[in-house]
Amino acid sequence: MEKKQVVIIGAGISGLVACKYCLSKGFDPIVFESDGDIGGVWAKTIRTTKLQTFRDMYQFADFPWPSSVTQDFPTQSQVMNYLRSYAAQFYLMKHIRFHTVVKEIEYHGDSSFAWSKWNGINGTSPHGKWKVTVEKRGSQSQTPSTELYDADFVILCVGRFKDVPNVPTFAPGTGPEVFRGEVIHSMEYAAMDHEKAEQFIKGKRVVVVGFQKQGLDIAMECSSVNGPEHPCTIVYRKDRWKLSNFVPWGIPLTFLYLNRFSELMVHKPGEGFFLSILATLLSPLIWGISKLVEAHIKKDLPLAKFDMVPERSFSKDVRSCLLAILPDDFFKRLENGSLSLQKSPGFGFYSDGVVVDGGKKRIQTDVVILATGFKGIQKLKNIFTSRDYSDLIAPSPGSRVSLYRECIQPRIPQLAVIGFSESFSNLFTSEIRCRWVAELLDGGFKLPSIEEMEKDISNWDDYMKKSSGEYHQRSCLTALDIWYNDQLCKDIGWNPRRKKGFWAELFEPYGPMDYANP
């Protein structure tokens, strides 16, 4: 029998594991990657970038980190070496087409397709195909060529934190056009080689807009290069909880938020009466744990001194995937003047710099780096030729990407989306999803009706809005990782209880190695 064609778009973390598990089921995957290397966001980072998740939580279930990597938070080069070793171990590289941009995908087939009748791509039921248009880019001297591929199934692993920068809009006369210095997005800075990036900021006053992971990394690098002589200013809107480590009061954070007992305290999507009552009764513990961690952070870090105490609870930021680790010498740099903070609900430009605090304060600067995130949802929508499919992915700018099991849009046939939900460890989450998709492709289980899937999606949408509020677009699963994985395990016929013994099952943290075997 001819192998069915699976097209995977993107060779980041999700694309690699999707390719690996498709191969394990005997399919013929082809991976299109626009860049010249694997790794997605890890391929182009700032020199000082490190993993923000415990090493043991950020690893493949069947491919642990080498013993030579001993740091809790490996560097970018160590992460890339680990990914390349994984790709080599499972012979993935020969399936990847680098420098190949997917321009659009279009479905040709029966519009009445129903997932409930899906029998895998080796099934005998007639289905349609996706037409995938790609642009092959060679050297600068070569003209890009366009090619068309047929796919029996498409897995979108395009990632939400690259390619399409989110650039703020400004009132007339307050945008970058009035500024005499240089304005770039953090994506452009990260794309520079390390020496070029250093020369770009050296001897210049830099303003970094944004205080999440990438903004923090860039600001630290600027302060290292220029010191107090040319201080770097971070402009940001709101304080979020930052940590010096993941072990408050000597208790690993995973014991507080990533075990079954911690999830009993949280209301769940579509939960029954018993779980609802239990979560209500245990909810005071959430408040207590949050205050315990907050007390440790306030004791460990001088947040109050620098007016950095967040208004939201620590648990709320956990459930919104907004945590970040502060470098050891962050506050030293605030003290010596090589870094400064400016909190402001908005900002604009004038000829010599940036205007903040409603126009009351001006910051003279030479360079502004916008660490303002990415339009990942728009990038995902743009890949579809069909406006109907694009609108199904996200009907409005404020929508999240609503998917059944965070993988399948019930009304888009023969397609999965991997990597648009966040968690404590995105690698961990992407891997189990790819195993679920591979089983689906193999006909290993049946999906429910469209109506049932949409009801489940609605329950998850309600949960995300209550759990994360204004950040529900991030689709953060942290605090319900195990509950979510349980649903996937049940679908594919695995026992969701992965620990040995009642107490271990209740209190031990769950991690990638718990899912190493079916």
Side-chain angles (χ1 to χ4, degrees), residues 223-504:
S223 67
S224 295
V225 171
N226 291 323
E229 292 183 9
H230 301 287
C232 177
T233 302
I234 302 173
V235 174
Y236 68 107
R237 289 188 303 157
K238 296 180 181 180
D239 289 299
R240 300 292 170 225
W241 287 102
K242 306 288 196 293
L243 303 93
S244 58
N245 58 63
F246 280 119
V247 193
W249 303 111
I251 307 170
L253 207 61
T254 51
F255 280 87
L256 300 176
Y257 287 98
L258 289 174
N259 59 23
R260 288 195 181 276
F261 183 73
S262 68
E263 294 197 359
L264 290 176
M265 309 173 202
V266 183
H267 286 285
K268 302 165 184 64
E271 65 190 354
F273 176 76
F274 174 74
L275 286 177
S276 177
I277 291 295
L278 191 59
T280 300
L281 292 174
L282 293 176
S283 60
L285 285 175
I286 298 176
W287 179 88
I289 290 171
S290 186
K291 292 302 177 186
L292 179 74
V293 177
E294 290 169 23
H296 177 268
I297 296 172
K298 291 175 184 177
K299 173 181 175 294
D300 197 41
L301 302 174
L303 299 184
K305 178 179 179 179
F306 293 97
D307 190 26
M308 291 176 61
V309 179
E311 295 180 2
R312 295 196 343 159
S313 70
F314 179 82
S315 287
K316 197 76 171 177
D317 276 0
V318 167
R319 295 197 298 272
S320 302
C321 292
L322 290 172
L323 298 184
I325 292 283
L326 283 175
D328 292 338
D329 57 349
F330 174 79
F331 288 102
K332 290 181 182 178
R333 300 192 189 193
L334 288 179
E335 294 276 7
N336 69 23
S338 60
L339 271 181
S340 66
L341 300 176
Q342 178 62 57
K343 202 183 312 182
S344 176
F347 75 102
F349 292 88
Y350 75 107
S351 59
D352 292 322
V354 171
V355 181
V356 296
D357 199 17
K360 298 176 183 176
K361 184 174 182 180
R362 293 186 169 193
I363 304 172
Q364 287 189 329
T365 188
D366 304 303
V367 173
V368 176
I369 302 177
L370 302 173
T372 48
F374 296 83
K375 293 182 177 179
I377 293 177
Q378 190 60 49
K379 177 177 65 169
L380 187 62
K381 286 166 65 71
N382 289 346
I383 204 167
F384 293 94
T385 301
S386 166
R387 175 67 180 271
D388 290 339
Y389 286 166
S390 177
D391 288 344
L392 284 170
I393 286 293
S396 68
S399 301
R400 78 181 190 96
V401 178
S402 300
L403 306 168
Y404 179 69
R405 300 294 193 246
E406 301 300 308
C407 296
I408 296 288
Q409 213 303 322
R411 297 184 185 272
I412 301 180
Q414 294 163 242
L415 179 136
V417 179
I418 304 292
F420 264 73
S421 295
E422 296 183 67
S423 69
F424 190 78
S425 170
N426 291 333
L427 186 155
F428 177 22
T429 306
S430 285
E431 182 168 26
I432 193 166
R433 284 181 190 153
C434 289
R435 298 175 85 166
W436 184 88
V437 169
E439 291 291 340
L440 177 66
L441 289 175
D442 201 32
F445 65 95
K446 291 281 190 182
L447 290 174
S449 67
I450 288 177
E451 291 73 20
E452 289 175 284
M453 288 194 283
E454 289 181 335
K455 181 179 179 181
D456 186 85
I457 289 172
S458 178
N459 288 334
W460 276 91
D461 284 346
D462 290 343
Y463 165 76
M464 294 293 178
K465 289 173 183 175
K466 291 176 183 176
S467 176
S468 303
E470 63 182 298
Y471 299 100
H472 69 279
Q473 274 191 330
R474 298 177 73 101
S475 299
C476 181
L477 297 174
T478 301
L480 277 188
D481 299 74
I482 304 170
W483 166 266
Y484 169 75
N485 289 344
D486 285 352
Q487 318 309 311
L488 302 188
C489 286
K490 291 173 185 176
D491 288 344
I492 61 181
W494 293 6
N495 181 0
R497 302 291 187 263
R498 315 298 294 179
K499 301 288 189 181
K500 294 181 180 180
F502 174 80
W503 298 111

Side-chain angles (χ1 to χ4, degrees), residues 69-135:
V69 178
T70 58
Q71 302 97 313
D72 285 336
F73 304 102
T75 64
Q76 182 258 358
S77 61
Q78 289 173 320
V79 172
M80 283 300 296
N81 288 337
Y82 177 57
L83 298 181
R84 292 187 182 114
S85 296
Y86 178 82
Q89 175 71 22
F90 297 105
Y91 306 100
L92 306 183
M93 297 299 284
K94 65 181 181 181
H95 297 277
I96 303 173
R97 307 291 185 268
F98 291 109
H99 300 295
T100 306
V101 179
V102 175
K103 305 298 289 184
E104 62 183 17
I105 60 174
E106 184 174 12
Y107 186 71
H108 292 257
D110 186 358
S111 61
S112 64
F113 175 92
W115 280 108
S116 57
K117 297 179 181 178
W118 173 256
N119 193 30
I121 61 174
N122 283 330
T124 56
S125 302
H127 301 296
K129 288 182 180 289
W130 286 94
K131 302 292 183 181
V132 181
T133 303
V134 306
E135 184 178 87

